[in-house]
Amino acid sequence: MGKLKFWGVAVLIGLLIGAAIWLISLQQERALDRSEEKEKNRIRTFFSELNSVYGYLYTKENGKYQLFLEIDEALLQGELSGSLLMMADTGNKNNPYEETRYVLNGITDGHMVEFFTTVDGQKTKLEGNFIGATVGLNLSFWTTDQKLTFKAVTEEEFKKFKTKF
């Protein structure tokens, strides 16, 4: 009878341990599902906001050049395509500025961003990160060793800056 009680208690303890492990794994699975869903929602919101931004503008303090980054396509998988318009002051009154457009292809996760382009026949990588979701971005630029801060602008704001430039 004593052995039977021992085995009964052992089986009961085994069942309780099994149930506890099952409950813990179930809670972990639910937490993972919630975090995955939260991340998917963050990404959907980010790309929705990104697609509603007209572009990103950088103006050099001395007014010698402006950069305008336009994202033409932003896919939920993180792929980006667009262009970088560089407007440089020529100092010539007849032709006050020169425009050069660079084709961009890149990737993002909503935090970091990498763009790839060709400058003077050389493959060039621009790296950076978004500020406040889509309010702006910091991006490396091939003419400087510092990241430049681009500000999100509407079409009207860009036209004003371009006219002023």
Side-chain angles (χ1 to χ4, degrees), residues 38-47 109-111:
K38 186 177 177 181
E39 180 63 8
K40 286 178 186 177
N41 286 336
R42 183 195 68 81
I43 288 173
R44 274 193 293 274
T45 300
F46 169 80
F47 279 98
D109 64 358
H111 298 294

Side-chain angles (χ1 to χ4, degrees), residues 11-29:
V11 167
L12 183 59
I13 290 173
L15 288 173
L16 289 173
I17 290 173
I21 291 172
W22 177 76
L23 284 173
I24 290 169
S25 65
L26 186 62
Q27 287 176 341
Q28 287 176 333
E29 189 176 315

Side-chain angles (χ1 to χ4, degrees), residues 91-143:
N92 181 340
K93 291 183 182 188
N94 296 330
N95 187 15
Y97 66 92
E98 176 183 36
E99 290 186 1
T100 308
R101 188 172 296 273
Y102 299 92
V103 174
L104 300 174
N105 289 299
I107 57 170
T108 186
D109 64 358
H111 298 294
M112 61 68 75
V113 62
E114 292 179 350
F115 285 111
F116 303 89
T117 191
T118 303
V119 179
D120 298 328
Q122 300 289 322
K123 297 279 184 198
T124 303
K125 180 179 179 181
L126 308 175
E127 298 177 287
N129 60 286
F130 282 93
I131 304 166
T134 59
V135 172
L137 59 100
N138 291 319
L139 195 63
S140 63
F141 190 63
W142 60 86
T143 63

Side-chain angles (χ1 to χ4, degrees), residues 2 5 25 33 37 87 98 104 106 126 132 134 149 164:
K5 260 187 180 177
S25 65
D33 288 346
E37 189 59 35
M87 297 172 286
E98 176 183 36
L104 300 174
L126 308 175
T134 59
T149 300
K164 187 175 153 184

Side-chain angles (χ1 to χ4, degrees), residues 27 68 81 137 143 151 158:
Q27 287 176 341
F68 180 68
S81 64
L137 59 100
T143 63
K151 176 187 165 212
F158 174 66

